[in-house]
Amino acid sequence: MLARTSVVTALAAVFAALPARPARAQRSPECERCHASREFLLGAASDRNVGAGLVVTRAALSGGPHASVACAACHTGVERYPHQPAAALRVVCGRCHAEQDSRWRAGVHARARGDAPAATCVACHGGHDVARSGFLPTAAGRAHMREACRRCHPGQVRSAARDVHGDSIACTRCHGTHDMRPVPDEATRKIDLALARACSACHTKESATYWGDVHGRTAARQASGVEPIGADTAATCISCHGEHGIRRASDPTWRFASTLACTRCHEEYGSTFRDTYHGQAAALGSVRAAECADCHTAHAVFRTTDPASTVSAGNRIATCRHCHEGASGGFAGYRPHANPRSRAQNPGIFYIWFFMNVVLYGTMIGWGTHAALWYARTMIDRRRQPAAAHAAPAEPLDAALRGGPPYVWRFNLVFRVIHALIVASFYLLVLTGLPLRYSCTAWAPALARLLGGGILAGRIHRVAGVMVFGYFGLYAAYLAYRVWRARDKRGLLLGSESIAFRWQDARDAVAMVKWFFGRGPKPQFGRYSYLEKFDYFAELWGVGIISATGIVLWQPVFFARIFPGIVFNVAIIIHSYEAMIATAFIFIIHFFNVHLRPDKWPLDAVMFTGRASLRYMEEEHPLIAGALRAKVEGKEPSRRAIIDEAAPPPPGWMNMVAAVSGLLLLGVGLLLIGLVLWGTLC
């Protein structure tokens, strides 16, 4: 602008001595005396930066629509010759293009930004190189128009260049030409009907259903003032698809983005959807999990009470069958948006949810307090002892082997194999289940991708579930065999050395609490302490309840023929919360009792090697240690793992495998419990 002003000022000085004549009488050759020569303009100007817009010849205009128009017809401010600089800058297109000018004045571009309009005709169409109207629909014309829009709207144009429309649609195709309305438009009460109608011009199939569904009808009524606008305006095309950067419907990322668009208006339903398997799997990137549009459709959305709705009572089963072939019976009774926290809306589901929360937090608070008190009592006793009493630098990592020989077989091969299967299946179930449970976190999608994606993670989860049935069946068969072979069957199942709870366990628990507070000695345990018994029966309960609910959720079509649909809502709650109870208990309470106690740190590998030293048994199970000492001292160790018989020390490779695998599993478990604590924040 400064360059142009300086040049025009210089020209005015050069020709100041010439007699002034009316500019309206001048023809283009007279203007070309100055503006046809760049060299002349450079010589007349003090500023060497002469803009290209000042160099104009009639030949340059010959191919455009203004070839026969006199210069002064556009530059109406030029009254005399030579002219003043500011006068030449004012261009009035409305004299010839009155219709377009009036529409421009009604649009958003005519609104002032400071002392000037937001965009003038020259800003969009150019100055002297104005193209004919037939040029704009071409690829070159669209590029020309995008470049003009980019000067003021760089972000929008850059985003639009990467969307589904790409280079095929010019900005004016959607926004209009001269009467561009603001987005959102106050004239339609901030309902973007103009853009919706522009979309309808190309997407006729979608528009045919949209304008008849609840969104389209409501948008039209709200825009005209027939229906009041509540907290949110009705959805139009850009509400769901956005204005720029629009993705194709086949884009996997678009499915989840469209669901997020729905939840912006339907926040309550979005919250309940995110708690379902569908919502959790979708958040992890699954393209098979049903999302909003899969059930409600994309452009033919109706209220649930409307018979035309795809989720109405009469159509729900047919909609479910799109994914769940053969769905029937109570399948449609599943409540995908049931809020378990609302007692008024879902009393039955609420009480199940409340009970599972009580069990979860009750278990963790109770046993967590138990572990904390045990740790504190142990550290107090250790500080009271002489340093040499608990300093054993030469002791092995495995607490079960400390004190050296003689060793005794604590667990046989069957128990160790079953324990290995429990560990393997448990870790697989936790690793594949946590991303789904905490899909709201940043780490969940990354962990799911590490496992091969949501679909593969789901398959691994189910394979691990089958492993649970396998080791449970193996244990049941082994237990039945032992009972069949036992002479004292009642003693095996309910005797003093059985795993069954007895009143002595309650007395031991009370004595343990007294010891925590220095009110009595530490209780003496037999073959199994009350801690180990609780672990055992908690495992049985967890296997039963998680397996039962898991198989119901795995085969919903089959079980819908037997149970009402609400059973699936209940199964989801129980399965999820029971899994969290097991995860939290194993990785916090069980790990403390077995590995993290100061007197066992960092590892107790008795279940890996199957054997323990007599000193270990005297510390952990003193009531049977005396009988074991009398039985194994002086006896030749047997490599055959017979419980309570003398055992040889484990080979070096077994110690190494036990240490590496045990510490690795301990570290992974602590990491996973950290992720759980992170997940509880969202």
Side-chain angles (χ1 to χ4, degrees):
M1 182 65 74
L2 292 175
R4 184 178 297 183
T5 303
S6 61
V7 171
V8 177
T9 302
L11 293 176
V14 170
F15 293 101
L18 297 177
R21 291 184 293 169
R24 297 182 187 280
Q26 297 171 11
R27 308 301 299 170
S28 57
E30 296 178 357
C31 297
E32 287 184 284
R33 289 175 59 188
C34 299
H35 289 278
S37 173
R38 181 178 178 83
E39 290 73 13
F40 177 81
L41 295 174
L42 287 171
S46 59
D47 189 343
R48 310 301 296 176
N49 186 21
V50 177
L54 292 173
V55 182
V56 185
T57 64
R58 180 55 45 179
L61 301 176
S62 61
H66 294 155
S68 60
V69 179
C71 302
C74 296
H75 299 280
T76 57
V78 178
E79 298 290 341
R80 308 294 296 175
Y81 174 78
H83 56 78
Q84 293 298 319
L89 297 178
R90 185 165 63 91
V91 178
V92 180
C93 301
R95 297 180 61 187
C96 298
H97 305 283
E99 179 185 353
Q100 291 83 351
D101 182 70
S102 62
R103 291 166 59 191
W104 170 78
R105 292 182 185 280
V108 68
H109 283 157
R111 299 181 181 181
R113 290 183 179 176
D115 297 331
T120 62
C121 305
V122 173
C124 297
H125 292 278
H128 299 99
D129 56 344
V130 180
R132 296 186 181 275
S133 58
F135 168 73
L136 293 178
T138 65
R142 291 193 295 271
H144 177 83
M145 180 55 66
R146 279 195 303 275
E147 181 61 25
C149 297
R150 187 191 62 79
R151 299 188 193 106
C152 296
H153 309 284
Q156 290 86 340
V157 172
R158 185 167 53 250
S159 178
R162 297 192 298 266
D163 75 4
V164 64
H165 296 137
D167 295 339
S168 62
I169 301 295
C171 306
T172 54
R173 185 69 176 270
C174 300
H175 292 279
T177 51
H178 299 95
D179 55 346
M180 293 184 182
R181 304 298 305 165
V183 181
D185 192 353
E186 296 290 345
T188 54
R189 309 177 76 206
K190 297 186 178 181
I191 306 293
D192 303 305
L193 282 191
L195 286 176
R197 292 190 178 108
C199 297
S200 299
C202 295
H203 302 282
T204 55
K205 179 181 178 182
E206 290 77 8
S207 68
T209 52
Y210 166 76
W211 292 110
D213 79 356
V214 65
H215 291 146
R217 294 200 308 263
T218 305
R221 290 196 299 268
Q222 287 181 342
S224 61
V226 174
E227 183 173 320
I229 297 176
D232 297 300
T233 58
T236 61
C237 305
I238 64 171
S239 303
C240 302
H241 294 275
E243 299 175 30
H244 307 98
I246 301 172
R247 284 168 277 185
R248 296 184 182 276
S250 58
D251 186 341
T253 63
W254 164 241
R255 285 174 52 80
F256 190 62
S258 66
T259 296
L260 292 178
C262 296
T263 60
R264 283 195 291 269
C265 294
H266 305 283
E267 185 175 354
E268 177 184 355
Y269 294 108
S271 175
T272 54
F273 170 75
R274 286 188 291 269
D275 289 338
T276 65
Y277 169 78
H278 291 153
Q280 292 167 344
L284 296 182
S286 172
V287 297
R288 294 173 57 181
E291 299 190 39
C292 303
D294 294 298
C295 298
H296 296 273
T297 75
H299 301 100
V301 183
F302 299 93
R303 301 185 188 279
T304 308
T305 55
D306 191 328
S309 172
T310 53
V311 293
S312 64
N315 297 328
R316 198 171 301 159
I317 278 288
T319 300
C320 295
R321 285 175 179 166
H322 292 162
C323 298
H324 302 278
E325 186 177 351
S328 61
F331 198 94
Y334 166 66
R335 303 176 187 178
H337 292 292
N339 183 1
R341 298 167 181 82
S342 174
R343 183 172 61 178
Q345 296 177 359
N346 310 284
I349 298 174
F350 168 80
Y351 286 115
I352 295 293
W353 171 83
F354 182 78
F355 171 76
M356 294 306 298
N357 273 276
V358 170
V359 174
L360 171 61
Y361 291 105
T363 300
M364 295 313 301
I365 292 173
W367 285 104
T369 303
H370 185 280
L373 292 173
W374 194 345
Y375 178 84
R377 181 75 257 169
T378 303
M379 295 306 296
I380 291 172
D381 288 349
R382 287 168 68 90
R383 282 196 294 268
R384 290 175 177 174
Q385 295 174 354
H390 52 79
E395 294 278 32
L397 289 177
D398 184 359
L401 301 179
R402 291 172 188 169
Y407 301 105
V408 61
W409 285 108
R410 170 72 172 157
F411 296 107
N412 63 21
L413 183 61
V414 175
F415 282 116
R416 288 148 59 197
V417 168
I418 292 174
H419 182 266
L421 292 173
I422 291 173
V423 171
S425 61
F426 183 76
Y427 272 82
L428 288 175
L429 288 168
V430 172
L431 282 169
T432 54
L434 281 184
L436 207 63
R437 176 65 176 82
Y438 294 111
S439 59
C440 56
T441 62
W443 55 262
L447 180 55
R449 288 193 297 270
L450 185 64
L451 295 169
I455 295 175
L456 181 57
R459 291 173 180 167
I460 296 173
H461 194 82
R462 289 185 284 273
V463 168
V466 173
M467 288 176 61
V468 172
F469 284 101
Y471 74 68
F472 187 81
L474 176 61
Y475 176 73
Y478 174 71
L479 183 60
Y481 172 76
R482 287 191 63 191
V483 172
W484 176 63
R485 291 291 303 271
R487 294 180 180 179
D488 183 8
K489 295 179 172 51
R490 179 179 175 81
L492 177 65
L493 296 175
L494 302 174
S496 60
E497 293 193 3
S498 75
I499 196 68
F501 278 110
R502 305 173 74 244
W503 282 113
Q504 182 59 42
D505 296 308
R507 290 190 285 267
D508 287 343
V510 172
M512 195 75 166
V513 173
K514 289 181 178 180
W515 174 70
F516 289 157
F517 293 98
R519 300 297 182 182
K522 186 177 180 180
Q524 304 290 296
F525 300 122
R527 184 171 298 278
Y528 301 109
S529 68
Y530 68 91
L531 300 167
E532 292 167 319
K533 292 181 180 182
F534 185 88
D535 264 356
Y536 177 85
F537 285 103
E539 170 74 13
L540 289 181
W541 164 264
V543 167
I545 201 70
I546 294 178
S547 299
T549 53
I551 199 168
V552 166
L553 297 174
W554 185 5
Q555 300 295 331
V557 174
F558 172 79
F559 286 100
R561 299 170 187 160
I562 305 172
F563 302 113
I566 197 172
V567 165
F568 301 112
N569 295 90
V570 173
I572 289 171
I573 294 172
I574 295 177
H575 190 81
S576 176
Y577 275 86
E578 186 61 35
M580 290 313 306
I581 294 170
T583 302
F585 186 87
I586 293 297
F587 291 153
I588 298 178
I589 309 304
H590 180 74
F591 272 15
F592 172 80
N593 293 339
V594 178
H595 303 298
L596 302 179
R597 277 167 41 192
D599 52 336
K600 283 195 173 185
W601 171 262
L603 185 68
D604 182 346
V606 66
M607 189 57 85
F608 289 87
T609 66
R611 58 205 98 190
S613 67
L614 276 178
R615 192 184 85 175
Y616 173 89
M617 296 301 293
E618 288 169 348
E619 292 175 352
E620 297 294 318
H621 307 279
L623 295 184
I624 65 170
L628 290 176
R629 179 174 292 278
K631 190 173 184 180
V632 302
E633 279 188 335
K635 296 292 183 65
E636 185 69 23
S638 171
R639 295 193 175 276
R640 184 181 176 189
I642 302 175
I643 296 174
D644 293 347
E645 295 292 336
W653 68 266
M654 184 177 289
N655 284 330
M656 179 63 68
V657 171
V660 172
S661 59
L663 292 175
L664 179 62
L665 292 172
L666 178 63
V668 172
L670 295 177
L671 174 62
L672 291 175
I673 205 64
L675 296 180
V676 169
L677 294 175
W678 181 353
T680 58
L681 300 177
C682 70

